[in-house]
Amino acid sequence: MQALHDLKDEDLQGLAPEAIAALAQQMLRHLRQQEIEIRFKDAKIEKITFQLARLKAWKFGAKTEAMSAEQRRLFEETLAEDESSLQAQLEQARGEPAAGAKDDTQTERKPRRKPLPDHLRREDHHHEPDNTNCPSPMCGRPMVRVGEDISERLDIVPAEFFVHRHIYGKWACRCCECLVQDAVAPQIIDSGMPAAGLIAHTMVSHFVDHLPYYRMESINARSNVHTPRSTLASWSGQGGAALMPLYDAHKRFVLSAQVLHADETPVAMLDPGRGKTKRAYVWTYARGAFDAVPGVIYDFCVGRGAQYPVAFLGPDDDGHGATAWRGTLVRDEYAAYDKVMVAQPGRIPAGCLAHARRKFDELLRDGGKSAVAAEALQRIAQIYRLERELATLTTGERLARRQQDAKPLWEDLHAWLRLERSRVPDGSSTARALSYSLNAWTALTQNLLDGDVNVDNNHCENQIRPWALGRRAWLFAGSELAGQRAAVVMSLVQSAKLHGHDPWAYLKDVLTRLPTHLNSRIDELLPHLWQQPAG
């Protein structure tokens, strides 16, 4: 059809009228086809533009605020996929180059993404013109290389299995008939196949990435490596047992904090006798939210009774000279904590403002329009806004600002709560929400007396999140022992993550060193003291 456009008047001279008519009909059909394609393209662009606008409305709309954290995370991931897909379709419909196909040498638009980490291995691919002579017809001389532009693209090679070959030379004295050979280095699993790195990888995949063993078995099989799920479980079991002395030392470190956060979450545990699962609990203890050296430890228990935290915090002697914990405990108003507080003298309760707020938030959601709930949320929001400003201050500065700025807000809130409580009948939802804060008032305001105490227990709830993610993947703990082993591993790797360590690098080094490490120096392997080995 392009040839028709190139025709000139002189080209048409001498053509028969029938030929000219045929060319005109051909041109007309082509124009109609172009018009149809343009209308179709415009309609497609309009549709995609509308879908993009709707996605953005969903993304920033108020309805997303009603989602739970998990729902919102899944929604945002799906939204990102959809938005990228629609944007690519829109660029394709408009005939624009895809974002990834644009010239990397353009300097007018700087990329916003962060530079790729320096420690990643680089593979250089050199691209030079086939002909380096000047393309000008009047020149043709060889050109001089004056620089280069570099663009980087991130790639990955799936997990690579490799084999350590330990070759022990044998040396013999023919006259003395003696044989000398280097001793075999002790390993976590002495007579087994896995090295420390593979044991660490298995434990991280299961306890950090929450992969069930049967999935890990199929993943390894893609590399033609046969690792039955029972073998993987055995490796994790032996690795967890080796970490027990380190877990005990970590417990002593966490419980040395003067401010401690505590919370518990349910986890299903298999009950083989009944062929069902029953409810067990993971108790979480974290050093204070403002502590310069963070740490968290988990305790897997078969129940939620007060005897479990009392036993964990309260023994006078654990065989290592540790005494019962004393300090300020940030927790919610679950009744079991009352027994924990009186189990040892010197324990101070601190409340959770987030739990108090939650009562009013539930009242507003379930009860519709509640002026009391709306007012309470506004007053609590003022306290939180101030606390965000104080987060980076020192303990003394934070306490001084709380006495000066936060205390009046708390006093106004207290007076308002008592006034509203006197106006509502007993037994109502509003009365229960008001009474929760009033009954816990002394604990809720402990932060006004100690700058190291946070206003809520969200710090501890964030440390429980790995268990919430894990129980959705592996569904239940196979036994009480398996739950306790998970608590050991997750206590160490979660604390390592709090200090910015890679969980696999940490566990690999620890499992390598533990067989020959002196127990008297076990603290050197704790997450807050561990140093990445050179090289």
Side-chain angles (χ1 to χ4, degrees):
M1 197 64 229
Q2 183 62 34
L4 292 176
H5 291 290
D6 294 338
L7 290 176
K8 301 178 181 179
D9 292 341
E10 54 268 23
D11 296 328
L12 298 177
Q13 294 177 2
L15 290 178
E18 294 82 1
I20 295 176
L23 286 174
Q25 288 293 330
Q26 187 178 355
M27 177 71 79
L28 184 60
R29 286 196 299 270
H30 177 70
L31 291 175
R32 287 175 179 171
Q33 182 65 30
Q34 274 192 330
E35 183 180 358
I36 293 172
E37 291 178 356
I38 291 172
R39 282 204 300 264
F40 176 77
K41 184 176 180 180
D42 289 343
K44 185 176 181 180
I45 291 175
E46 182 181 0
K47 179 182 178 182
I48 295 174
T49 304
F50 171 75
Q51 290 175 324
L52 270 174
R54 184 170 61 178
L55 279 179
K56 291 177 180 178
W58 285 343
K59 183 176 182 179
F60 301 108
K63 289 184 179 179
T64 60
E65 298 299 325
M67 298 181 181
S68 66
E70 290 298 321
Q71 290 171 328
R72 183 173 179 82
R73 184 156 43 247
L74 179 61
F75 169 79
E76 289 175 345
E77 291 170 355
T78 305
L79 187 67
E81 293 177 2
D82 293 346
E83 190 172 358
S84 297
S85 175
L86 288 172
Q87 191 66 47
Q89 293 179 47
L90 184 60
E91 291 170 349
Q92 186 178 13
R94 289 174 174 171
E96 300 173 353
K102 292 182 180 178
D103 187 2
D104 288 335
T105 62
Q106 293 177 351
T107 57
E108 60 270 20
R109 295 184 63 185
K110 299 294 185 180
R112 294 183 179 179
R113 62 174 180 264
K114 295 181 180 179
L116 297 175
D118 292 335
H119 72 273
L120 297 180
R121 176 171 58 90
R122 258 74 173 174
E123 289 187 0
D124 292 340
H125 304 271
H126 295 277
H127 306 272
E128 303 292 349
D130 294 333
N131 187 351
T132 58
N133 291 330
C134 179
S136 175
M138 304 301 294
C139 181
R141 298 177 182 176
M143 294 183 291
V144 177
R145 199 174 191 272
V146 293
E148 60 187 14
D149 290 314
I150 300 176
S151 66
E152 294 190 332
R153 294 181 180 273
L154 189 62
D155 204 348
I156 185 173
V157 176
E160 177 191 8
F161 288 90
F162 65 97
V163 179
H164 290 284
R165 296 182 68 224
H166 297 274
I167 303 170
Y168 298 89
K170 295 181 179 180
W171 297 80
C173 177
R174 297 188 183 278
C175 62
C176 299
E177 296 186 355
C178 68
L179 180 70
V180 176
Q181 188 177 30
D182 196 15
V184 176
Q187 303 285 331
I188 291 295
I189 302 178
D190 277 327
S191 58
M193 173 177 63
L198 181 54
I199 300 174
H201 172 74
T202 302
M203 297 173 76
V204 168
S205 297
H206 188 62
F207 296 111
V208 179
D209 300 326
H210 312 297
L211 289 177
Y213 290 123
Y214 74 89
R215 291 185 188 171
M216 295 163 58
E217 178 183 356
S218 62
I219 291 172
N220 294 348
R222 292 202 293 265
S223 299
N224 294 323
V225 175
H226 180 57
T227 52
R229 66 194 69 178
S230 58
T231 300
L232 296 170
S234 175
W235 293 349
S236 288
Q238 295 179 71
L243 293 173
M244 277 302 302
L246 192 58
Y247 173 83
D248 293 336
H250 185 59
K251 176 183 175 181
R252 293 193 294 273
F253 162 69
V254 172
L255 298 190
S256 67
Q258 289 299 307
V259 176
L260 201 65
H261 292 252
D263 204 356
E264 77 289 336
T265 190
V267 174
M269 183 181 71
L270 188 63
D271 186 0
R274 298 190 306 161
K276 300 179 180 178
T277 59
K278 61 182 180 181
R279 177 169 289 192
Y281 284 86
V282 173
W283 293 78
T284 303
Y285 306 91
R287 291 172 67 92
F290 299 115
D291 202 308
V293 188
V296 61
I297 193 163
Y298 304 108
D299 185 28
F300 185 90
C301 304
V302 296
R304 198 190 181 200
Q307 68 269 28
Y308 300 107
V310 167
F312 193 84
L313 299 175
D316 289 328
D317 189 354
D318 67 350
H320 297 277
T323 58
W325 175 81
R326 292 176 177 83
T328 301
L329 186 68
V330 184
R331 80 289 178 270
D332 56 34
E333 296 305 309
Y334 174 44
Y337 291 113
D338 295 337
K339 296 181 180 179
V340 175
M341 304 314 298
V342 300
Q344 290 288 338
R347 293 179 177 174
I348 304 171
C352 176
L353 184 58
H355 277 77
R357 183 193 181 280
R358 204 168 297 160
K359 300 297 181 183
F360 294 107
D361 187 59
E362 293 170 355
L363 179 63
L364 193 62
R365 288 204 312 264
D366 300 337
K369 295 181 179 179
S370 171
V372 172
E375 176 70 16
L377 293 177
Q378 289 180 5
R379 290 176 176 271
I380 293 173
Q382 290 180 319
I383 296 175
Y384 270 112
R385 278 195 293 270
L386 178 59
E387 282 296 321
R388 282 193 290 270
E389 297 178 12
L390 308 183
T392 58
L393 302 182
T394 64
T395 300
E397 293 171 340
R398 188 180 305 112
L399 182 58
R401 285 287 305 278
R402 281 175 174 172
Q403 287 290 321
Q404 176 184 336
D405 301 328
K407 188 174 182 180
L409 297 177
W410 283 96
E411 290 175 343
D412 290 345
L413 175 61
H414 193 209
W416 178 82
L417 289 171
R418 287 186 296 180
L419 176 62
E420 293 299 328
R421 181 62 186 89
S422 66
R423 293 175 174 174
V424 298
D426 295 340
S428 64
S429 299
T430 303
R432 287 194 295 271
L434 293 166
S435 296
Y436 181 92
S437 296
L438 289 171
N439 294 337
W441 192 254
T442 301
L444 283 174
T445 55
Q446 181 60 32
N447 64 90
L448 297 177
L449 305 177
D450 188 343
D452 284 329
V453 175
N454 201 14
V455 295
D456 59 34
N457 202 25
N458 288 347
H459 171 64
C460 191
E461 291 186 2
N462 289 336
Q463 307 311 316
I464 292 179
R465 192 168 297 163
W467 288 90
L469 295 174
R471 66 190 175 205
R472 295 190 179 193
W474 32 256
L475 303 181
F476 54 81
S479 65
E480 182 179 355
L481 184 60
Q484 292 170 349
R485 182 168 56 252
V488 169
V489 178
M490 292 178 70
S491 296
L492 295 171
V493 296
Q494 184 65 14
S495 295
K497 288 168 65 177
L498 290 176
H499 290 275
H501 302 319
D502 172 54
W504 176 81
Y506 171 72
L507 273 187
K508 176 183 180 295
D509 184 61
V510 166
L511 293 174
T512 301
R513 294 165 61 180
L514 268 176
T516 58
H517 200 80
L518 294 176
N519 195 53
S520 59
R521 298 171 53 190
I522 194 72
D523 286 3
E524 295 175 1
L525 303 181
L526 291 175
H528 67 286
L529 296 176
W530 179 78
Q531 297 290 329
Q532 176 82 36

